[in-house]
Amino acid sequence: MTDIFTPAVLGPITLRNRVIKAATFEARTPDALVTDDLIEFHREVAAGGVGMTTVAYCAVAPGGRTDRHQLWLRPEAVAGLRKLTDSVHAEGAAVSAQIGHAGPVANAASNRAPALAPSRMFSPLGMRPMHVPDEAEIRELIRAHAEGARLAEQAGFDAVEIHFGHNYLVSSFLSPLLNRRKDRYGGSTANRARLAREIACAVREAVGDRMAVTAKLNMEDGVRGGLTVPESLQVASWLEADGALDALELTAGSSLLNPMLLFHGDAPRREFVQALPAPARWGMRLVGRAFLKEYRHRGTYLLERARQFRRELTMPLILLGGITNLDDMRTARAEGFDFVAMGRALLREPNLLHRIRSDATTQSACVHCNRCMPTIYRRTRCVYRPEPLSIENIGGKNL
Ligand SMILES: Cc1cc2nc3c(=O)[nH]c(=O)nc-3n(C[C@H](O)[C@H](O)[C@H](O)COP(=O)(O)O)c2cc1C
């Protein structure tokens, strides 16, 4: 297959190629608003040749942020986001907003708002119990996702990617371990999938066919008692039948309980301890080895799981995880995936695609050391990439 670099249809939009920059939280919004630094991050990725970049992470409510420096979608954020989407479009790429609610992954102390969980649990991040939303509050959360998508449309985004992974709110509802509710949103697989389905339908209804709507779905949590591949396959087939989504991006792991399954590769324990605020730092010292497990990194490391989804579903699928060169992309296409998403390789080299296009044997310089991960607490970057000199000045400027 050599059609990686030709235009491809994603619902109502057409991307100039089949490569999507996966959401990697940028930490460039110190006052929860767009900065020039955030715009430059995405302009550079777009100039590097991707079909679409993804702005991570746009919370749909202030309490849905992992901390208070994250952007949340509200009318004041639209002008800055519009400048960002204009600048990506000027480089010929499309741009997606990853929208969602962090649920149990939110830091309540930082947000000064309670973290949400499907059932009673204690938040190790906020050091307090989480709030369990009742049905009226769930309706409000669904409405917030629809409103977030509407604001993204106003800001000129081509797509929204709804976060259904990593034990963020919707993913925590999918998990039999975290969701022990007795109402319509807990218990059976159908009940635990209800929130995902209702959000997908509400977002579609909000934006019609004026935007592409995708979701990033956990294939499994990688946690004892959590969501497994067979259950996720069932959820995915319901999402397909509902017809609200243009594609699914397939992920795995839990930011709360097993983050390294997302990434594979080295577990940067020491860097995490240094980067984390207290008391999370003390917790990491105690449980770092159990929390940050190591999974051997290899090209297309989520393919075996994702292949099962490809077999069962007809809707477009996006393969993610360890895609770093043309061989990986060709493998994804040969296996029937419509798009590929790349995270760390593009943090390392935003212009990687241009290099691959001009030399098919190009290999990524990313060594999956994962030391980019703890940089999310300050300003996300590949630690091997030189920084521009004026970066401190750029970082704090709101738009
Ligand atoms: C620094 C960093 C930040 C990330 N932030 C997010 C995020 O905000 N939302 C999300 O869904 N995934 C996030 N991810 C996960 C990536 O989207 C992707 O799933 C993962 O890195 C595997 O893809 P890769 O092998 O191409 O890097 C992040 C990854 C990294 C390295």
Side-chain angles (χ1 to χ4, degrees):
M1 290 270 188
T2 53
D3 65 351
I4 308 291
F5 293 107
T6 55
V9 168
L10 174 63
I13 64 173
T14 299
L15 305 188
R16 64 179 167 183
N17 60 49
R18 294 178 185 272
V19 183
I20 297 171
K21 161 73 179 56
T24 53
F25 172 58
E26 304 88 351
R28 282 160 170 78
T29 53
D31 294 316
L33 288 166
V34 173
T35 57
D36 283 345
D37 195 15
L38 182 71
I39 293 176
E40 179 52 20
F41 178 96
H42 287 284
R43 190 208 58 75
E44 193 182 24
V45 169
V50 294
M52 181 159 77
T53 185
T54 307
V55 178
Y57 147 82
C58 305
V60 299
R65 298 176 288 177
T66 60
D67 75 52
R68 72 169 174 278
H69 303 299
Q70 271 178 347
L71 190 142
W72 61 283
L73 289 165
R74 60 203 191 284
E76 301 103 278
V78 169
L81 287 168
R82 167 61 77 171
K83 214 173 152 189
L84 187 156
T85 59
D86 284 348
S87 129
V88 169
H89 290 149
E91 298 290 353
V95 53
S96 177
Q98 183 180 57
I99 65 170
H101 191 292
V105 184
N107 184 334
S110 169
N111 285 337
R112 299 182 191 119
L116 301 183
S119 318
R120 276 192 69 78
M121 64 184 277
F122 188 77
S123 163
L125 288 165
M127 294 302 282
R128 62 194 73 180
M130 300 197 211
H131 177 69
V132 177
D134 61 22
E135 289 210 14
E137 288 166 323
I138 288 177
R139 275 197 297 281
E140 175 52 29
L141 286 162
I142 296 167
R143 196 203 57 77
H145 280 78
E147 181 57 20
R150 248 182 243 117
L151 289 167
E153 184 191 359
Q154 270 176 33
F157 282 91
D158 306 280
V160 286
E161 173 186 272
I162 322 171
H163 206 330
F164 288 172
H166 308 164
N167 284 169
Y168 276 42
L169 184 72
V170 173
S171 162
S172 69
F173 269 74
L174 291 172
S175 157
L177 176 72
L178 302 175
N179 183 349
R180 299 176 312 281
R181 298 176 75 97
K182 302 277 181 266
D183 63 2
R184 298 187 313 126
Y185 291 92
S188 63
T189 314
N191 279 359
R192 281 181 279 116
R194 191 182 305 282
L195 182 61
R197 297 175 71 182
E198 290 183 350
I199 287 178
C201 291
V203 166
R204 170 59 74 199
E205 205 178 304
V207 301
D209 59 3
R210 301 180 299 281
M211 291 175 100
V213 180
T214 67
K216 186 166 182 174
L217 177 70
N218 256 22
M219 297 183 283
E220 66 170 318
D221 296 344
V223 174
R224 194 188 294 265
L227 186 73
T228 57
V229 169
E231 259 205 318
S232 177
L233 274 169
Q234 173 65 75
V235 174
S237 66
W238 284 327
L239 289 168
E240 172 170 280
D242 293 342
L245 298 173
D246 296 309
L248 281 176
E249 182 174 298
L250 299 169
T251 186
S254 163
S255 302
L256 199 63
L257 299 166
N258 188 4
M260 290 310 299
L261 185 58
L262 273 78
F263 304 105
H264 289 50
D266 305 341
R269 296 186 186 99
R270 193 158 40 95
E271 289 80 359
F272 255 114
V273 168
Q274 283 162 1
L276 279 172
R281 186 188 316 142
W282 311 322
M284 181 63 79
R285 275 214 187 95
L286 286 175
V287 298
R289 196 158 289 278
F291 179 62
L292 294 178
K293 298 195 180 83
E294 272 188 39
Y295 294 91
R296 195 174 60 80
H297 188 278
R298 57 183 196 284
T300 64
Y301 57 79
L302 294 179
L303 178 60
E304 276 157 46
R305 296 175 184 87
R307 197 180 269 143
Q308 301 176 57
F309 287 72
R310 184 60 299 166
R311 244 184 258 129
E312 296 275 321
L313 304 170
T314 55
M315 70 185 293
L317 295 179
I318 304 167
L319 186 69
L320 169 78
I323 292 163
T324 63
N325 57 40
L326 192 60
D327 282 345
D328 295 334
M329 296 174 192
R330 285 184 170 143
T331 302
R333 287 293 293 141
E335 295 266 356
F337 294 90
D338 304 79
F339 296 92
V340 293
M342 297 168 79
R344 286 163 293 176
L346 293 174
L347 282 181
R348 176 73 183 91
E349 297 164 283
N351 70 345
L352 180 61
L353 283 195
H354 283 325
R355 296 211 301 116
I356 291 176
R357 277 186 92 152
S358 57
D359 174 0
T361 65
T362 299
Q363 297 299 314
S364 160
C366 173
V367 291
H368 40 82
C369 65
N370 291 321
R371 286 167 63 195
C372 51
M373 279 168 56
T375 69
I376 61 170
Y377 299 105
R378 194 157 177 268
R379 183 174 172 280
T380 306
R381 64 187 194 94
C382 169
V383 299
Y384 292 111
R385 253 196 111 199
E387 286 284 273
L389 287 174
S390 58
I391 218 65
E392 293 300 336
N393 300 334
I394 299 171
K397 185 167 174 289
N398 293 327
L399 292 171

